[in-house]
Amino acid sequence: MSDRMLHLHKLVCHRLSLHSFTPHSLPFKPAQLPSVLSPAGLRARPRNDAVRSVRTVAVMSSSRLRNIVPVNAVVAEDGGGGASNGSVSCTTADTPFEDEDSTLGVGYRLPPKEIKDIVDAPPLPALSFSPHRDKILFLKRRALPPLAELARPEEKLAGVRIDGKCNTRTRMSFYTGIGIHQLLPDGTLGSEVEVHGFPEGAKINFVTWSPDGRHLAFTIRFDDENTDSKLKVWVAHVDSGIARPLFQSHEYCLNAVFDNFVWVNDSCLLVCTIPLSRGDPPKKPLVPFGPKIQSNEQKNIIQVRTFQDLLKDEYDEDLFDYYATSQLVLASLDGMVKEIGPPAVYTSMDPSPDHKYLLISSIHRPYSFIVPCGRFPKKVEMWTADGKFVRQLCDLPLAEDIPIAFNSVRRGMRSLNWRADKPSTLYWVETQDEGDAKVEVSPRDIVYTQPAEPSEGEEPTILHTLDLRYGGISWSDDSLALVYESWYKTRRTRTWVISPGSNNVSPRVLFDRSSEDVYSDPGSPMLRRTPAGTYVLAKVKKENDEGTYILLNGNGATPEGNIPFLDLFDINTGNKERIWKSDKEKYYEGVVALMSDEKEGDLPIDSLKILTSKESKTENTQYYILSWPEKKACQITNFPHPYPQLALLQKEMVRYQRKDGVQLTATLYLPPGYDPSRDGPLPCLVWSYPGEFKSKDAAGQVRGSPNEFAGIGPTSALLWMARRFAILSGPTIPIIGEGDDEANDRYVEQLVASAEAAVEEVIRRGVAHPKKIAIGGHSYGAFMTANLLAHAPHLFACGIARSGAYNRTLTPFGFQNEERTLWEATSTYVEMSPFMSANKIKKPILLIHGEEDNNPGTLTMQSDRFFNALKGHGALCRLVILPFESHGYAARESIMHVLWETDRWLQKYCVSNTSDVNADQDECKDNLGTGSTKSESKPVAASGGSGSEVSNSEHEEVDSLRRSLLWYFLYSYIVL
């Protein structure tokens, strides 16, 4: 027996002598630990580690994690005996990076303090303005939620994740408090009135103003195991802040799986409630009714993308009905309660502008096992405001066969809604191409309109016909409305001017342009609020001028960056006057909302009032009221800097060129106080996300502003400025397919060329060390990262790939912006898949994925299989699976651990650059499976090319010991 095997036997014997733990001492649920896999297999832990890890527990966190090693029970962050507020306890690393064995199964870890402090900074409140723009809500938020909230049981049904205890969607964020401020005539804020009266610790959601602005409606809930977790609707008086339950009876609870509640008028709400007669949820039968059968004996062509969380059987159908079925209830502020309509799976409720009618949408059986609930049969009815049935508008059948081509839609009536400029007039759209974008037909869409209660025999009126796909309407009155249409394949977008009340005025094109051409973007029309609570085009009048003017709010993209503007636009002549624009020298400003929109009729230009935002590279966003004619700005917020330690960061928008002539841009961030001539080049993290374009000119246009404030999210790459990294954020990686060419047919070529140009630029500037550049991305950015390590290994020291998809054959009916199927573009699917090039990846790659990822295409299996492919070729790789996390990560424990993993990876394989391997080792890996004698012994660990090898007999001994360890820990957990 080798020394290595002898040491392992001694380790087992040592472990068997330690019985200082019990099942009751477990500080967390087994599945709450991040699952970390590394190709090193099982190594002997140093004896001092064995002594330090006396409190050892066995964790069987996932059936696919066969080689889990024991998990250390770690202490709380403050060194105390337990974690606070339901959080799983965490620990920090004592060294910049640790031996691989010491990082397997260690529980949740914390990143270095300089990163942790930024992530833990209290979040700023959200703002909400009253209908009359005279009051502002400060909606207070808390920091990251504990993992215990994500760990709550959830039902995955028809593409929806449901918290059965609360009867709402899972993973809902919430507010912790509501502060009301009066907006004084001079533009300043009055003292805060705190909404009060509800129990302490309540979680607040769905905060909504009444149409007259005198009341607020919202929900509260609790996650305490000893209290009812169902959502209850509360109302508060705005002037006093006093809150009370809407329903006097505690029996009425909100069903928020789909819609929740809506103000019908100033004093009455329509609420989706859990039916009072509902009993316990259906129980899953122990023995199934029969096999699960799907059939296509009619030979229908049904192509769908990789939807997740679908219904699986009849039991799921019953469970979906149980949680999604609502009883609609009218509840007034004076205590009146009235149930209306039968219980059903209601998905939306929309009162007419005159408050006389209700537009009620619902879905019903037959359900589907291959598409989510958005495609289930859909019924739309009209009721009176007091719940009496008027008429059925449509009952659309199950839509499993919507083509996968972009701009394909459902057949029948869609976008059914009320006209915002009329008391109770409906409009909708119907496709003329059977919903299939590949069918050539003119017109492609027709927009119809009809009164709520048409006279007998009155047919719907054709409002407008479109040759592209309908995109929406901005209403003004009978003389003016704007209709939008677009087509993805050509990126064409058009805006039409129509006169809804006149058949004698022909529609005309106002704008016809490419949606990719940001330099030609004229801006979007601003809307004003009507007394009925709807939003229509804000028409502006000038003194002694009969023109028809609207306000266009634009980003103002230029080769120097975005310079937002507000134009006064003559709808008849096309003439425009720039009445405001952002300061381009130091600040980035933008128009947020119209504040003088509460009055009826056209708005006088001299009484215009708008809400603007203002920020700079180093100053966080503040809000101002800007008033005409003086255009005097009054600051209404004074939020503190969210991360003062990075207040003096350096930011620059850089431009450079790809070898094929395409102009590229990126934002370069440098740490505070950094001087390249004095400090030399830094380690650099490049973080990006590719995009598809139809023209080189559009791909080369500048987007964003050099003066925007650097917003740093909890998993942002910018956090590593605190670790003295240079960050190249969002370098443009355009994948271009001009004319009839498909962009992805040259994906790898253009991807590598863009990355080469970005790396050359940061090296040329002297801010990045050529051998210390890392690449990273999330989702499609993770896909990019893996491809670059496969096809451009000379550029990067290592990579970080989060929640990606790596094998495109697992998404055969399209992905991202690719609408061809695997069978139509087989070579493209294969060549784009880094899974197919796993044998080429020699640089260290860190894979991170949420275990409950429900994003179409990025199943957790993608990272599992990619890791196994990499491991099968001896690649230096690491896989971290985050329990309970979805496509984006939410829990504090998960996020902190992701940051710790990322920082460890960067410090070990980028800063220290220990990932280089010699030519002989590369040749050995390249020759695996070719018959070369160099491939007979395979490395157990690919951690920095350590070169440690184990014979086949030693592998068998390792397996034997692993099984012994597994049985011992299972025995200890169950028996001891």
Side-chain angles (χ1 to χ4, degrees):
M1 180 180 289
S2 67
D3 291 340
R4 179 182 179 89
M5 298 301 104
L6 181 61
H7 184 80
L8 281 172
H9 277 296
K10 289 179 180 179
L11 178 61
V12 173
C13 294
H14 179 71
R15 294 288 193 213
L16 289 171
S17 67
L18 301 176
H19 298 296
S20 60
F21 60 90
T22 69
H24 303 290
S25 67
L26 294 176
F28 32 66
K29 296 179 182 178
Q32 286 179 328
L33 289 171
S35 304
V36 184
L37 284 177
S38 178
L42 182 65
R43 286 183 177 178
R45 188 180 301 278
R47 188 167 299 279
N48 61 341
D49 261 0
V51 175
R52 188 166 63 241
S53 304
V54 171
R55 298 183 64 230
T56 305
V57 295
V59 174
M60 305 293 292
S61 64
S62 174
S63 59
R64 66 169 173 274
L65 304 182
R66 299 172 52 206
N67 297 332
I68 286 294
V69 295
V71 180
N72 296 340
V74 292
V75 297
E77 179 186 328
D78 60 0
S84 61
N85 73 347
S87 300
V88 174
S89 53
C90 301
T91 186
T92 55
D94 297 324
T95 56
F97 53 85
E98 303 172 58
D99 177 77
E100 182 180 33
D101 291 333
S102 66
T103 64
L104 286 172
V106 295
Y108 287 94
R109 304 296 292 266
L110 293 172
K113 186 176 186 301
E114 52 265 45
I115 290 179
K116 171 183 167 297
D117 288 348
I118 296 173
V119 177
D120 274 340
L124 299 176
L127 303 183
S128 175
F129 289 84
S130 67
H132 299 305
R133 306 298 193 251
D134 58 344
K135 293 181 178 66
I136 305 177
L137 298 184
F138 278 55
L139 302 170
K140 300 167 187 180
R141 299 180 282 190
R142 57 95 187 260
L144 300 173
L147 187 64
E149 290 192 11
L150 271 66
R152 292 167 59 94
E154 63 181 1
E155 303 290 347
K156 301 172 183 177
L157 303 167
V160 178
R161 293 186 172 182
I162 299 172
D163 184 333
K165 190 171 183 181
C166 295
N167 219 108
T168 185
R169 300 289 180 101
T170 60
R171 305 164 191 264
M172 285 202 312
S173 59
F174 59 88
Y175 302 115
T176 58
I178 305 173
I180 306 171
H181 291 266
Q182 184 78 27
L183 186 59
L184 302 176
D186 62 359
T188 60
L189 296 182
S191 57
E192 182 174 275
V193 175
E194 186 77 20
V195 175
H196 59 281
F198 49 82
E200 185 177 355
K203 298 180 177 181
I204 303 170
N205 289 100
F206 308 123
V207 182
T208 310
W209 292 91
S210 64
D212 61 6
R214 296 177 59 192
H215 292 89
L216 298 174
F218 54 92
T219 64
I220 66 169
R221 60 187 166 96
F222 299 90
D223 287 339
D224 189 344
E225 294 294 331
N226 299 320
T227 60
D228 185 5
S229 298
K230 299 292 191 297
L231 278 70
K232 302 295 178 65
V233 183
W234 283 57
V235 291
H237 197 281
V238 170
D239 290 337
S240 66
I242 299 174
R244 61 175 177 82
L246 173 65
F247 295 104
Q248 296 179 2
S249 170
H250 295 292
E251 293 182 329
Y252 286 105
C253 298
L254 187 73
N255 187 338
V257 170
F258 289 107
D259 210 343
N260 42 75
F261 61 83
V262 63
W263 289 92
V264 176
N265 52 48
D266 293 338
S267 61
C268 186
L269 295 99
L270 179 60
V271 185
C272 282
T273 68
I274 298 172
L276 298 180
S277 60
R278 189 180 80 173
D280 294 331
K283 293 183 179 181
K284 189 176 183 66
L286 295 177
V287 178
F289 173 76
K292 300 175 182 179
I293 299 173
Q294 297 186 52
S295 175
N296 190 36
E297 296 181 36
Q298 297 80 21
K299 298 183 179 181
N300 296 322
I301 297 177
I302 298 177
Q303 300 177 347
V304 295
R305 291 209 172 188
T306 49
F307 299 118
Q308 299 194 51
D309 299 340
L310 301 177
L311 299 177
K312 298 180 291 297
D313 51 32
E314 290 80 1
Y315 168 73
D316 276 0
E317 291 182 309
D318 293 341
L319 202 60
F320 176 75
D321 277 336
Y322 176 83
Y323 286 115
T325 298
S326 297
Q327 172 63 60
L328 299 185
V329 176
L330 285 170
S332 65
L333 298 181
D334 62 9
M336 183 276 293
V337 174
K338 178 185 178 183
E339 295 185 0
I340 62 172
V345 183
Y346 296 108
T347 57
S348 68
M349 312 169 294
D350 189 14
S352 62
D354 62 3
H355 310 303
K356 291 183 178 180
Y357 300 97
L358 299 171
L359 206 56
I360 305 294
S361 299
S362 62
I363 56 179
H364 60 84
R365 297 194 184 214
Y367 297 150
S368 170
F369 297 153
I370 65 172
V371 294
C373 58
R375 297 192 183 185
F376 288 178
K378 178 182 179 181
K379 183 185 300 183
V380 183
E381 298 176 338
M382 187 189 303
W383 300 357
T384 62
D386 59 357
K388 293 184 176 64
F389 175 83
V390 177
R391 62 181 175 125
Q392 179 178 293
L393 298 169
C394 66
D395 190 354
L396 305 178
L398 179 65
E400 289 184 331
D401 58 347
I402 298 177
I404 60 173
F406 292 121
N407 289 123
S408 294
V409 295
R410 190 172 195 160
R411 293 188 293 271
M413 298 172 71
R414 69 182 200 277
S415 300
L416 183 57
N417 216 324
W418 300 106
R419 276 184 60 168
D421 60 330
K422 291 289 185 180
S424 51
T425 299
L426 295 165
Y427 71 97
W428 66 91
V429 186
E430 293 186 26
T431 181
Q432 305 302 299
D433 57 11
E434 294 297 308
D436 189 348
K438 292 184 177 180
V439 174
E440 294 296 333
V441 65
S442 179
R444 189 174 292 276
D445 274 343
I446 297 179
V447 184
Y448 294 93
T449 183
Q450 189 178 51
E453 295 193 64
S455 56
E456 186 175 352
E458 182 180 356
E459 294 295 323
T461 301
I462 294 178
L463 183 69
H464 191 50
T465 59
L466 300 165
D467 285 337
L468 308 182
R469 189 63 79 202
Y470 168 81
I473 299 180
S474 294
W475 299 97
S476 174
D477 50 36
D478 276 338
S479 67
L480 175 63
L482 301 180
V483 183
Y484 310 100
E485 63 174 341
S486 62
W487 196 249
Y488 175 79
K489 193 75 173 178
T490 60
R491 308 303 198 272
R492 189 179 185 183
T493 178
R494 284 193 297 210
T495 303
W496 291 84
V497 177
I498 65 171
S499 298
S502 176
N503 296 325
N504 300 324
V505 180
S506 299
R508 60 185 176 87
V509 175
L510 184 63
F511 304 121
D512 189 348
R513 45 180 293 274
S514 169
S515 60
E516 291 182 341
D517 183 9
V518 294
Y519 291 170
S520 70
D521 188 352
S524 301
M526 297 201 72
L527 305 179
R528 70 171 181 87
R529 189 178 187 277
T530 68
T534 61
Y535 285 85
V536 298
L537 290 169
K539 293 169 68 174
V540 177
K541 60 183 178 183
K542 299 171 66 176
E543 191 173 357
N544 301 321
D545 190 330
E546 297 300 322
T548 302
Y549 295 93
I550 61 173
L551 296 169
L552 294 180
N553 178 18
N555 291 326
T558 73
E560 290 74 41
N562 288 357
I563 306 173
F565 62 83
L566 187 65
D567 280 353
L568 192 63
F569 183 81
D570 190 324
I571 203 77
N572 295 317
T573 67
N575 296 328
K576 58 185 178 182
E577 175 189 352
R578 188 139 298 176
I579 61 175
W580 176 89
K581 71 175 181 178
S582 172
D583 173 11
K584 67 177 182 179
E585 299 302 324
K586 179 182 178 182
Y587 291 100
Y588 178 78
E589 301 170 287
V591 176
V592 179
L594 192 60
M595 300 295 287
S596 53
D597 61 351
E598 76 276 9
K599 297 182 177 63
E600 191 76 70
D602 295 354
L603 305 174
I605 185 66
D606 287 340
S607 61
L608 194 64
K609 189 183 294 184
I610 60 175
L611 177 70
T612 65
S613 62
K614 185 176 182 179
E615 61 195 79
S616 73
K617 297 176 184 178
T618 57
E619 300 172 50
N620 55 303
T621 305
Q622 306 293 350
Y623 294 94
Y624 296 76
I625 299 291
L626 188 65
S627 303
W628 268 252
E630 298 86 1
K631 298 184 183 178
K632 177 184 176 182
C634 182
Q635 184 173 342
I636 62 172
T637 62
N638 189 24
F639 297 131
H641 198 292
Y643 20 88
Q645 58 271 59
L646 293 180
L648 298 180
L649 62 83
Q650 304 172 57
K651 176 184 177 183
E652 180 183 358
M653 183 172 284
V654 297
R655 301 198 68 183
Y656 50 98
Q657 185 170 293
R658 202 164 75 178
K659 62 184 180 183
D660 60 358
V662 176
Q663 294 294 317
L664 305 176
T665 60
T667 305
L668 177 63
Y669 292 91
L670 299 171
Y674 169 71
D675 183 345
S677 60
R678 180 192 67 214
D679 303 325
L682 297 171
C684 178
L685 175 57
V686 180
W687 200 269
S688 191
Y689 193 97
E692 291 80 11
F693 291 88
K694 291 302 294 181
S695 77
K696 292 182 178 180
D697 290 340
Q701 292 182 352
V702 177
R703 293 161 173 83
S705 167
N707 295 326
E708 286 180 277
F709 180 69
I712 302 180
T715 57
S716 170
L718 301 187
L719 289 165
W720 274 270
M721 279 189 289
R723 297 284 278 167
R724 305 297 292 176
F725 269 72
I727 309 296
L728 193 68
S729 178
T732 50
I733 301 185
I735 311 300
I736 304 166
E738 294 188 305
D740 294 331
D741 292 343
E742 294 288 349
N744 284 336
D745 288 347
R746 294 177 55 234
Y747 173 84
V748 172
E749 172 192 340
Q750 297 187 65
L751 178 72
V752 172
S754 298
E756 285 177 336
V759 168
E760 289 170 3
E761 180 64 17
V762 291
I763 294 174
R764 183 190 69 79
R765 289 171 170 266
V767 298
H769 192 291
K771 292 186 178 297
K772 298 182 179 182
I773 301 176
I775 181 68
H778 183 92
S779 194
Y780 207 52
F783 176 73
M784 166 207 74
T785 297
N787 265 306
L788 285 173
L789 293 186
H791 302 292
H794 59 289
L795 297 177
F796 303 105
C798 64
I800 297 112
R802 300 175 184 167
S803 299
Y806 309 102
N807 183 352
R808 285 304 167 196
T809 67
L810 297 178
T811 56
F813 290 107
F815 58 90
Q816 199 69 6
N817 291 318
E818 177 59 68
E819 58 182 358
R820 295 171 296 174
T821 70
L822 169 64
W823 300 272
E824 293 171 328
T826 305
S827 61
T828 297
Y829 272 67
V830 172
E831 290 168 8
M832 287 182 69
S833 297
F835 180 86
M836 303 300 179
S837 301
N839 61 316
K840 298 179 181 179
I841 295 180
K842 311 299 183 185
K843 294 298 179 71
I845 182 169
L846 172 63
L847 305 173
I848 301 175
H849 217 120
E851 194 168 28
E852 303 295 335
D853 193 332
N854 64 342
N855 184 55
T858 57
L859 290 79
T860 309
M861 174 181 62
Q862 288 273 6
S863 287
D864 275 339
R865 293 187 176 181
F866 187 41
F867 173 78
N868 287 329
L870 292 167
K871 186 172 61 171
H873 291 89
L876 201 167
C877 53
R878 184 175 173 91
L879 171 62
V880 180
I881 301 295
L882 301 171
F884 305 117
E885 294 291 352
S886 186
H887 191 58
Y889 318 137
R892 181 179 184 273
E893 293 90 337
S894 302
I895 287 173
M896 291 297 184
H897 190 84
V898 166
L899 300 177
W900 177 81
E901 291 278 0
T902 304
D903 187 71
R904 172 187 174 272
W905 207 253
L906 292 173
Q907 297 296 327
K908 189 171 184 179
Y909 299 116
C910 181
V911 175
S912 299
N913 197 15
T914 61
S915 65
D916 290 339
V917 292
N918 59 43
D920 289 339
Q921 288 171 316
D922 280 343
E923 182 182 358
C924 175
K925 294 178 182 179
D926 290 339
N927 289 332
L928 282 176
T930 65
S932 170
T933 57
K934 292 183 180 181
S935 66
E936 291 177 0
S937 296
K938 300 179 182 180
V940 170
S943 54
S946 64
S948 61
E949 298 179 351
V950 179
S951 67
N952 290 335
S953 61
E954 287 181 303
H955 270 301
E956 294 173 1
E957 293 181 83
V958 169
D959 289 337
S960 176
L961 283 171
R962 183 182 296 123
R963 287 192 293 270
S964 298
L965 282 169
L966 181 61
W967 278 112
Y968 161 66
F969 289 119
L970 182 60
Y971 169 80
S972 301
Y973 178 68
I974 296 174
V975 178
L976 299 180

